[in-house]
Amino acid sequence: KGRQGSAQGYIGVVHSGMEGRMGAAAAALVCLLGLQIALLPAAAFYLPGVAPMDYKKGDKVLLKVNKLTSVKTQLPYEYFSLPYCQPKKIESSAENLGEVLRGDRIESSPYEIAIRMDTQCKVVCMLKSLNKVQTKAFKKKIDDEYRVNMILDNLPVAMVQMREGKEEAIKTYERGFPVGEVNEEGQYTLNNHLRFNILYHRDPETDLSRIVGFEVEPFSVKHTYEGAFNEAAPELTTCNPGSMKFVTDKEPRQPVEEGGEIIFTYDVLFLTSPIRWASRWDTYLSMADDQVHWFSIVNSLMIVLFLSGMVAMIMMRTLHRDISAYNQLETAEEAQEETGWKLVHGDVFRAPTSAGLLAVYAGTGTQLIGMAVVTMIFAALGFLSPANRGGLMTAMLLLFVFMGLLGGYAAARMYKIFKGEQWRQMTVQTALLFPGIVAAIFFVLDLLVWGQKSSGAVPLTTLLFLCFLWFGISVPLVFVGSYFGFKKPAPEDPVRTNKIPRQVPEQPWYMHPVLSILVGGVLPFGAVFIELYFILTAVWTNQFYYLFGFLCLVGVILTITCAEITIVLCYFQLCAEDYHWWWRAYFTSGSSALYLFVYSIFYFVTKLDITKKVPMAMYFGYMGIISYGFFCLTGTIGFFATYLFVRQIYAAVKID
């Protein structure tokens, strides 16, 4: 009550018109409020879906099955597309938009797990006789190196891989486990026995446990039994809990052959672990070549920073000399003899050809920049962790939709600067051009995936929802942003534009537009190509990527590099008395997307083992979409940086 009385007293002072004490009163009020907040009991919170679960001994835990994945085909399939053992009722888990687009299909399984209750050689089911279709399905998935994915307490199942460290071996995870393998004699064998090693951290005070690891050891074993098989109480001779006989690699393997019998079994071992719940994802996120990654990133950043510093220093010194020389011209004869970028002052702000299309691309790039910036901020703060499956893709889609407001505003502002009149047509193009091209490619690829009966095919309901996001939310927001952009008056150009265009003199060979554009894209691509390797590896080899701190730093360097290289080349262009800089500024930094696509071809040839037509079409289709988006993003950065630069230099010189 004392604190509240003091706060009310201070508020009264503020309202009484005592201006001399307003600052002190406000400061005191802030301090009192801060003290009150500090005295309140602190409470932590967890993000939705990633809160820790505490289990008592004997509590049941749901083991869920997810899609089958392959690096060779890139086509995910539902777990029960193979004749695995099914529960009495298959229940699907609710999935977000990102999970559906990734092809995740999370369903219940017949595996039963109780906390801290070990299980040995429990029979799941028996396939009495494989028919021709089932045999073919298993062999096809084994040929394509498919891996099975499961989930326990929101942790994906993984196989342990040990790699050499400086002092001791380092434990890493490989997601999922293979369906089977082909031995040296060409015989197909199936992994029909699974040993789940579940790591848990126990609280000694409450005796509650938290799951901190979900590991699997797959085995192929030809199970045997005596007499007739008793489904109610099966007893096997290859493994038996009564005799404490465990499955080993020395057992005869389970062949995949038509008419063959397959018995599916599993073990569950609970192992105590010092790992705390907050650190349980560390092993999943550890990279096999982290030292090379860190060294390459730092090396790349240092080179780019050095080049950017050199470019900035040269530009500042040269421009300072030019502006000083132009402003010291006194006589008419000297003014007539002037050369360089001041000579084209009457044409430099002349609207370019296809000005409306340039405004559309400037707005689209602004929309992508807003999406990328907000996504990286949330990811760096931990809101889009791998524990939240599909969260990153969902966030990117929704942010792109809502950033339509920003895209429409930026496009309208540029179109008004160009003195355009058909603003409705320009706004419609901003709302439909980039999403339309992406949607067309995506729809064709989705048809190809649907033809392969893959779970990666987007369901009709999801397609309708995406259309609603586009036409129901994004398009109206683009029009709202465009309305406010046109409502605001356009900034005045620092110099007047002549009525008659000036003739551009013949340019030297090294100032050819194609050459300068290709040269301009090298440096921005150099800023990201090391990080690009790790991103492509994560996307196309089913790994986790969670170095968003580094990605933010690379994004900042990319922005600086795009701006500086575009400004430098535009300055050289204006010095050569070529005032057609608008489109060239966009293409100069945007050409880095061409190098990105070429690098994706190099990565495909050297790192991936994709041979089938549909996966190849998927790879190049999606890399084409990524490259197109990268073109719009980097091109917009360079364009706006150059526009501000040109305004600044022409506003700094005296022009009669």
Side-chain angles (χ1 to χ4, degrees), residues 113-128:
I113 295 178
I115 291 295
R116 288 158 54 190
M117 304 287 287
D118 290 352
T119 304
Q120 183 190 352
C121 197
K122 186 164 185 178
V123 176
V124 187
C125 72
M126 180 180 73
L127 294 179
K128 294 183 179 179

Side-chain angles (χ1 to χ4, degrees), residues 613-656:
K613 293 180 180 179
V614 172
M616 287 175 66
M618 286 175 56
Y619 178 85
F620 289 109
Y622 286 125
M623 288 310 302
I625 291 174
I626 293 170
S627 300
Y628 182 41
F630 194 71
F631 164 75
C632 295
L633 188 145
T634 53
T636 301
I637 293 171
F639 172 75
F640 279 120
T642 308
Y643 174 69
L644 295 175
F645 166 76
V646 172
R647 285 187 62 89
Q648 287 294 324
I649 63 173
Y650 281 96
V653 296
K654 299 175 184 176
I655 297 174
D656 295 332

Side-chain angles (χ1 to χ4, degrees), residues 346-347 350 497-504 579-580:
D347 299 275
R350 189 180 303 280
T497 302
N498 297 333
K499 293 183 179 180
I500 301 174
R502 177 187 175 88
Q503 186 176 359
V504 178
Y579 54 85
H580 299 298

Side-chain angles (χ1 to χ4, degrees), residues 302-551:
M302 292 301 292
I303 292 173
V304 172
L305 282 172
F306 173 74
L307 291 174
S308 300
M310 292 291 291
V311 166
M313 185 174 65
I314 292 170
M315 287 301 302
M316 289 175 65
R317 292 186 62 183
T318 307
L319 274 175
H320 181 72
R321 186 177 65 246
D322 287 349
I323 292 171
S324 299
Y326 289 147
N327 288 337
Q328 289 172 3
L329 293 176
E330 296 179 357
T331 64
E333 290 80 6
E334 289 176 322
Q336 289 176 359
E337 292 174 0
E338 68 182 23
T339 58
W341 55 268
K342 186 183 178 184
L343 200 59
V344 295
H345 64 82
D347 299 275
V348 72
F349 289 104
R350 189 180 303 280
T353 55
S354 304
L357 186 61
L358 181 57
V360 167
Y361 271 104
T364 299
T366 305
Q367 190 173 353
L368 288 168
I369 290 169
M371 176 202 74
V373 169
V374 178
T375 300
M376 283 198 291
I377 290 173
F378 276 96
L381 293 175
F383 285 89
L384 302 175
S385 72
N388 186 11
R389 286 182 307 276
L392 181 62
M393 187 174 291
T394 304
M396 291 178 67
L397 276 171
L398 294 179
L399 283 171
F400 179 80
V401 167
F402 289 109
M403 287 296 167
L405 185 70
L406 201 61
Y409 179 82
R413 296 294 295 145
M414 288 309 305
Y415 195 59
K416 194 161 188 179
I417 290 171
F418 295 148
K419 299 178 176 58
E421 296 178 355
Q422 298 177 333
W423 68 272
R424 289 184 180 87
Q425 181 181 348
M426 187 279 304
T427 306
V428 170
Q429 287 180 338
T430 305
L432 301 183
L433 181 62
F434 178 81
I437 292 173
V438 172
I441 298 173
F442 176 78
F443 184 70
V444 171
L445 294 176
D446 193 55
L447 286 178
L448 294 176
V449 174
W450 178 77
Q452 298 294 313
K453 299 181 180 179
S454 166
S455 66
V458 179
L460 179 62
T461 52
T462 306
L463 288 175
L464 293 175
F465 180 68
L466 290 174
C467 290
F468 167 73
L469 289 177
W470 183 9
F471 294 104
I473 300 177
S474 181
V475 172
L477 284 177
V478 171
F479 271 89
V480 171
S482 180
Y483 169 77
F484 285 106
F486 277 110
K487 191 176 180 182
K488 191 175 180 180
E492 290 187 13
D493 295 332
V495 291
R496 291 193 302 271
T497 302
N498 297 333
K499 293 183 179 180
I500 301 174
R502 177 187 175 88
Q503 186 176 359
V504 178
E506 186 177 352
Q507 300 293 303
W509 66 270
Y510 54 83
M511 289 303 297
H512 193 278
V514 175
L515 182 61
S516 62
I517 286 170
L518 291 176
V519 169
V522 173
L523 203 56
F525 174 74
V528 299
F529 88 96
I530 294 294
E531 198 69 20
L532 180 65
Y533 168 79
F534 292 98
I535 293 173
L536 291 179
T537 301
V539 171
W540 296 107
T541 62
N542 198 29
Q543 297 180 13
F544 290 111
Y545 179 87
Y546 200 58
L547 295 174
F548 291 106
F550 263 118
L551 191 59

